[in-house]
Amino acid sequence: MASSNTYRLSCSVPGHEMDVRGLASTSFPEGAFVSVSRDRTGRVWVPNMGPNRSFTEMHCMHGHTNFVSCVCIIAPNETYPRGLIATGGNDNNICVFSLDRPDPLYILKGHKNTVCTLSAGKFGTLLSGSWDTTAKVWLNDKCMMSLQGHTAAVWAVKIFPQQGLMLTGSADKSIKLWKAGRCEKTYTGHEDCVRGLAVVNNTEFFSCSNDASIRRWHVDGECLQVYYGHTNYIYSISVFPNGQDFISTGEDRSIRIWKNGECAQTIRLPAQSVWCCCILDNGDIVVGASDGIIRVFTESDERIASAEDIKAFENELSQSTIDAKTGDLGDIKMEELPGREHLNEPGTRDGQTRLIKDGEMVQAYQWSVSDSHWVKIGDVVGSSGATQQTSGRVLFEGKEYDFVFTIDVNEGGPSMKLPYNVADDPWLTAHNFLEKNDLNPMFLDQVANFIIENTKGNTVGRTETGHSDPFTGSGRYVPASAGGSSASGADPFTGSGRYIPGSGPSTVAPAGVADPFTGGSAYSSNALQSTSAPTNIYFPKTDPVKFEQANATQILAKLKELNRGAPNEQKLSDDGIQKLEKLLSTVSNLNAAEKPTTEEIEILWKTAHWPEDIVFPVLDILRLAVRHPVVNEQFYSDKDGVQFCNHLLNLMGPQGKPANQMLVLRTLCNSFAGQWGQTLLMSMRETVMSQAMQLRTVNNKNIHVALATLVLNYAGCLHKVADLEGKAQCLSMVSTILEVVQDKEAVFRLLVALGTTIGNDGTARDLAQSLGVKSQINKYSTVTDPAKLGECCKLVLNQL
């Protein structure tokens, strides 16, 4: 078969009404492929046997209630000898189709957000990735396991043909290798979202990213090669059967063919976003783009499009516009550009771009080696109105939208982000926005009409900015950075002099000179250079925050009163009460030479198991006692420690008494004061924090302050530990608690926990950003009463 070794247009396949987001070649029928689109359909295309070399729609599939974003083919088996088609969509579902019917055989439910990538393996295994940060492994219609570990949307997944290995790529910039549900290895190197993966063989794979690079990896972790050529986001990658050559598509309007490690050919399309590609068995290339057209390119002279079709394609290309900011055109100075005579000189390589000035217009041409002439690829314009250096698809919190509006509820107040896709219901979007930001439902019509008005007449993929705000009617508000006052040096938790662990009464040191926690050099290098910015005396906070104030007289009086009503077998004798009184005196002064006795500790253990209606004064003694190293070791060592901790968690349950809930939280916080308590609580972190989290909805500010302090103490322990899961749980708790907590002291401690968690950890910082924490805390940056809240908030925002 004759071949020119250069890919040229074979045919254009219209049919979809919106962006083509996914493609996959099929084993049946021969030479066919499947496409999916934002128009909510999937379509099977078969090659025509006639002379027009095009494809005909054989089958149209419906089943998703929102746009379809990905597709893969499940290999044939005895039950389905022609294989199955799996599609994922923005309705959070996976639909599995046969070629016999237009509706799904079954729908896989389990993801909590858009399913944006799919890969099929042997024996019917299906791997899915989602914006909910997880990947899931399915077998037939059952979810077998969930792969958790990424901190942002999982944009790409692939199953290796052998070894039972699976790959996931994420907006957290990492790739993970999984086996039997466990993460075996994490690959880092990309500087932005990982958007596509392609398996080369049993030991190597490719990845592509929003950082405009492609990487070739060995499964042992070594990055074998980095390929550069694209000038914008790269969305997809497919490998030729030889395992060496591959193709890639991206936001720079191009498909690029890579041979022998070099970009051998660049094909421009009359559409900004080239979303997807696949390779057919005959070596032809299929691409889908934002204009809704599927195009097939071939090396075979026998399948090249007619001269008329090629001319029509070139005309369409020449009439398109190129954004000077997003194309690979460099800085353009119109007065220095040559005229049309510059096109008389031949190009030096295929795909070479040349700009010429034609009157008041700037035009872009690309050199075609196969045709030995310059092909116009578009008119250059100053701006396309896009953001994120794309033609309009905006990433917000790791997810992709057509629009991200900035909304100001109160003029001068914190702004909020309203993400929206053209395919979304504006009323539902408005409802979700109001609910998420705790805004009055009366604004529903106003917000929905704002969305409708500001997206009117826009096609999918365009982003507008600078619209009037639906609440204030004014233009977009960009808050000015207010200068903070210099730090006073007071301890942010007690209001006393600067806090230095292990010291006696402290004196106030000059702001920005001494670290408030270590006494060493200032935490922030900017502190000595500027008096207008607050000194960071707040985080990282690595020593435990404790609840130490108590009125021993009142505690003992209540204990004696309730002891009279205690069950006979648990009632304390006068001697027992005296021993508890002595214990309370001892643990109230940790500097005292006298230590708690074993008998006193045993009595405390016994009374801690009083009925929940009367146990609270004992818990008050307990939360003071666990600060003492002797009691801390006695209560938290070995198996007794787990038993004791579980007893506390039972008292702290959501149906428990508020006084018990608060005192148990305070006891847990104070338990961090000793090595034994800290070690046990870290080993039980997931259980303790999950159960404590249930108290966030209790309407009690003392509980909220204690809950925030517990998160802060965990954050302090995790600060210098490479425990992403632990930090993710801390960040998740901070974000969730901030939704409901109003008390300023509780918010302040959550901000310190947030700053401690993200400090010196870029991954944790990215996760915090993907959780939308920045928009949650913005409103506290202007708080002046107490000043520590506003100052700490500004410092956290600087970190983010």
Side-chain angles (χ1 to χ4, degrees):
M1 181 179 292
S3 172
S4 63
N5 291 321
T6 300
Y7 278 88
R8 289 176 286 177
L9 181 71
S10 176
C11 63
S12 297
V13 185
H16 284 293
E17 299 171 3
M18 291 185 174
D19 301 44
V20 178
R21 293 302 303 262
L23 291 164
S25 59
T26 67
S27 55
F28 180 89
E30 185 179 351
F33 63 87
V34 184
S35 61
V36 295
S37 166
R38 285 170 61 90
D39 64 12
R40 307 186 183 189
T41 69
R43 301 170 193 250
V44 180
W45 305 90
V46 295
N48 292 335
M49 295 299 104
N52 68 356
R53 308 175 185 85
S54 190
F55 287 77
T56 300
E57 182 184 313
M58 167 190 164
H59 191 50
C60 185
M61 297 164 288
H62 299 268
H64 289 281
T65 59
N66 208 327
F67 66 77
V68 192
S69 53
C70 56
V71 61
C72 76
I73 305 301
I74 300 175
N77 55 37
E78 290 184 2
T79 308
Y80 300 102
R82 297 194 293 181
L84 296 172
I85 299 167
T87 60
N90 273 45
D91 55 7
N92 309 347
N93 295 335
I94 301 165
C95 293
V96 180
F97 299 89
S98 70
L99 289 172
D100 302 318
R101 47 193 279 190
D103 57 316
L105 289 173
Y106 49 88
I107 298 177
L108 305 178
K109 296 178 179 286
H111 281 295
K112 298 177 182 178
N113 213 319
T114 296
V115 179
C116 53
T117 177
L118 292 167
S119 178
K122 291 186 173 182
F123 314 113
T125 304
L126 184 67
L127 178 61
S128 60
S130 167
W131 289 358
D132 65 11
T133 75
T134 72
K136 294 185 183 295
V137 182
W138 310 81
L139 187 59
N140 299 322
D141 59 348
K142 297 288 190 300
C143 181
M144 307 305 292
M145 63 181 68
S146 185
L147 309 182
Q148 298 180 329
H150 285 293
T151 58
V154 178
W155 277 104
V157 297
K158 273 290 181 285
I159 300 178
F160 274 93
Q162 305 292 337
Q163 306 177 51
L165 297 177
M166 298 179 177
L167 288 169
T168 56
S170 169
D172 65 12
K173 308 175 189 177
S174 75
I175 303 162
K176 292 183 181 293
L177 181 72
W178 306 82
K179 187 171 186 178
R182 298 189 311 274
C183 180
E184 299 286 323
K185 190 173 293 292
T186 298
Y187 309 85
T188 57
H190 281 297
E191 298 176 359
D192 207 333
C193 302
V194 178
R195 297 298 291 265
L197 294 167
V199 172
V200 177
N201 52 45
N202 289 335
T203 59
E204 295 181 9
F205 64 93
F206 286 109
S207 63
C208 63
S209 167
N210 280 3
D211 64 10
S213 76
I214 298 168
R215 290 175 178 257
R216 186 172 185 142
W217 304 85
H218 193 279
V219 290
D220 65 7
E222 182 184 1
C223 180
L224 303 174
Q225 192 168 353
V226 182
Y227 306 84
Y228 296 101
H230 283 279
T231 59
N232 213 316
Y233 297 170
I234 306 175
Y235 295 133
S236 69
I237 184 168
S238 292
V239 182
F240 285 102
N242 65 12
Q244 296 298 319
D245 302 333
F246 58 95
I247 59 175
S248 57
T249 68
E251 184 66 18
D252 55 6
R253 307 195 320 147
S254 77
I255 175 170
R256 298 182 188 242
I257 296 98
W258 303 78
K259 295 183 177 181
N260 301 317
E262 300 288 338
C263 182
Q265 185 181 357
T266 300
I267 301 173
R268 304 283 179 177
L269 296 186
Q272 182 68 50
S273 305
V274 189
W275 294 117
C276 51
C277 62
C278 71
I279 299 171
L280 302 181
D281 290 341
N282 62 8
D284 288 357
I285 296 169
V286 186
V287 295
S290 53
D291 61 358
I293 304 296
I294 301 166
R295 294 178 177 87
V296 183
F297 296 88
T298 185
E299 277 187 316
S300 169
D301 292 337
E302 297 179 8
R303 294 192 295 275
I304 292 175
S306 65
E308 292 79 9
D309 287 345
I310 291 176
K311 184 64 175 177
F313 172 70
E314 291 180 352
N315 287 339
E316 188 179 8
L317 190 61
S318 68
Q319 292 168 13
S320 59
T321 57
I322 303 172
D323 182 0
K325 296 178 181 178
T326 62
D328 57 346
L329 306 176
D331 295 327
I332 298 174
K333 296 182 180 179
M334 187 170 176
E335 65 277 6
E336 297 179 4
L337 293 177
R340 297 190 62 84
E341 68 279 359
H342 197 46
L343 300 178
N344 295 328
E345 303 172 9
T348 57
R349 58 181 173 81
D350 192 69
Q352 179 186 355
T353 301
R354 181 166 288 181
L355 301 181
I356 62 105
K357 180 171 60 176
D358 188 3
E360 297 301 316
M361 296 290 294
V362 176
Q363 298 174 342
Y365 284 79
Q366 177 178 288
W367 179 251
S368 170
V369 170
S370 58
D371 298 324
S372 298
H373 75 266
W374 292 97
V375 177
K376 184 182 177 184
I377 59 173
D379 296 314
V380 180
V381 296
S383 172
S384 65
T387 61
Q388 300 279 333
Q389 293 193 346
T390 76
S391 64
R393 299 299 289 159
V394 185
L395 281 180
F396 175 65
E397 295 181 352
K399 302 172 187 177
E400 197 176 58
Y401 298 95
D402 292 320
F403 298 84
V404 177
F405 300 109
T406 298
I407 304 296
D408 302 299
V409 179
N410 298 301
E411 189 168 358
S415 59
M416 302 172 182
K417 295 296 185 183
L418 171 57
Y420 177 72
N421 280 315
V422 171
D424 291 345
D425 181 337
W427 300 96
L428 179 60
T429 301
H431 169 77
N432 291 339
F433 170 75
L434 295 174
E435 190 175 71
K436 176 182 178 182
N437 293 286
D438 196 25
L439 300 175
N440 196 316
M442 66 176 283
F443 290 118
L444 179 64
D445 288 350
Q446 203 170 350
V447 175
N449 288 326
F450 165 80
I451 295 172
I452 294 168
E453 182 64 28
N454 285 299
T455 58
K456 188 183 299 180
N458 286 282
T459 59
V460 172
R462 287 190 56 83
T463 304
E464 303 295 331
T465 58
H467 304 296
S468 63
D469 183 273
F471 293 98
T472 65
S474 63
R476 175 177 176 179
Y477 170 69
V478 181
S481 56
S485 60
S486 58
S488 65
D491 177 42
F493 297 98
T494 66
S496 61
R498 174 167 289 163
Y499 176 68
I500 302 176
S503 69
S506 41
T507 57
V508 176
V513 175
D515 186 318
F517 301 111
T518 66
S521 59
Y523 178 83
S524 170
S525 61
N526 294 325
L528 295 174
Q529 301 171 11
S530 171
T531 58
S532 62
T535 304
N536 191 350
I537 63 170
Y538 305 113
F539 58 85
K541 179 76 172 160
T542 56
D543 55 297
V545 178
K546 301 180 289 292
F547 295 88
E548 301 185 296
Q549 293 184 350
N551 187 320
T553 303
Q554 291 181 357
I555 293 173
L556 286 171
K558 180 59 69 173
L559 178 73
K560 293 174 183 178
E561 174 190 337
L562 295 177
N563 182 55
R564 291 192 287 269
N568 290 332
E569 65 275 11
Q570 292 180 304
K571 189 175 294 186
L572 291 174
S573 64
D574 290 342
D575 181 66
I577 290 179
Q578 289 178 4
K579 284 184 168 57
L580 269 188
E581 185 173 359
K582 184 182 177 186
L583 173 67
L584 178 58
S585 175
T586 301
V587 300
S588 294
N589 181 12
L590 297 180
N591 294 322
E594 195 170 8
K595 296 181 180 181
T597 66
T598 301
E599 188 177 4
E600 292 168 355
I601 295 173
E602 287 176 353
I603 293 174
L604 180 60
W605 174 274
K606 176 184 175 182
T607 52
H609 291 78
W610 271 6
E612 66 175 16
D613 289 334
I614 62 172
V615 75
F616 66 89
V618 181
L619 294 177
D620 222 357
I621 298 174
L622 181 65
R623 58 106 181 172
L624 295 170
V626 295
R627 301 173 304 136
H628 197 287
V630 172
V631 179
N632 194 280
E633 180 178 355
Q634 194 81 9
F635 273 77
Y636 286 111
S637 60
D638 303 327
K639 62 180 181 180
D640 289 339
V642 175
Q643 181 183 348
F644 172 66
C645 194
N646 286 331
H647 174 63
L648 291 179
L649 295 180
N650 288 333
L651 290 172
M652 191 183 71
Q655 305 305 318
K657 303 290 183 182
N660 294 345
Q661 293 170 334
M662 177 192 70
L663 289 167
V664 167
L665 283 171
R666 290 183 173 184
T667 301
L668 293 172
C669 292
N670 288 359
S671 298
F672 281 87
Q675 178 185 348
W676 291 92
Q678 186 176 122
T679 300
L680 182 71
L681 289 175
M682 287 301 289
S683 70
M684 297 182 66
R685 170 188 53 76
E686 186 172 357
T687 300
V688 172
M689 294 184 78
S690 296
Q691 293 201 32
M693 184 72 145
Q694 299 178 57
L695 301 182
R696 71 188 186 280
T697 56
V698 176
N699 188 23
N700 184 309
K701 72 174 187 178
N702 290 326
I703 288 178
H704 288 167
V705 171
L707 180 59
T709 307
L710 180 65
V711 180
L712 173 54
N713 285 350
Y714 269 112
C717 289
L718 291 164
H719 176 65
K720 293 185 178 180
V721 179
D723 184 352
L724 181 58
E725 183 181 350
K727 292 181 179 181
Q729 189 175 19
C730 280
L731 291 173
S732 177
M733 284 190 71
V734 168
S735 176
T736 306
I737 298 170
L738 280 171
E739 295 286 340
V740 295
V741 168
Q742 300 296 322
D743 182 77
K744 291 181 179 179
E745 182 60 27
V747 172
F748 168 71
R749 296 188 184 204
L750 290 171
L751 289 176
V752 178
L754 176 57
T756 300
T757 305
I758 65 176
N760 302 323
D761 191 328
T763 302
R765 185 165 55 250
D766 289 346
L767 174 57
Q769 290 172 334
S770 71
L771 289 172
V773 170
K774 191 172 183 179
S775 62
Q776 287 181 293
I777 68 173
N778 254 327
K779 59 186 176 183
Y780 299 112
S781 62
T782 56
V783 173
T784 56
D785 183 20
K788 66 180 183 180
L789 180 55
E791 291 173 357
C792 184
C793 182
K794 290 174 186 175
L795 291 165
V796 175
L797 288 172
N798 288 339
Q799 290 285 315
L800 292 170

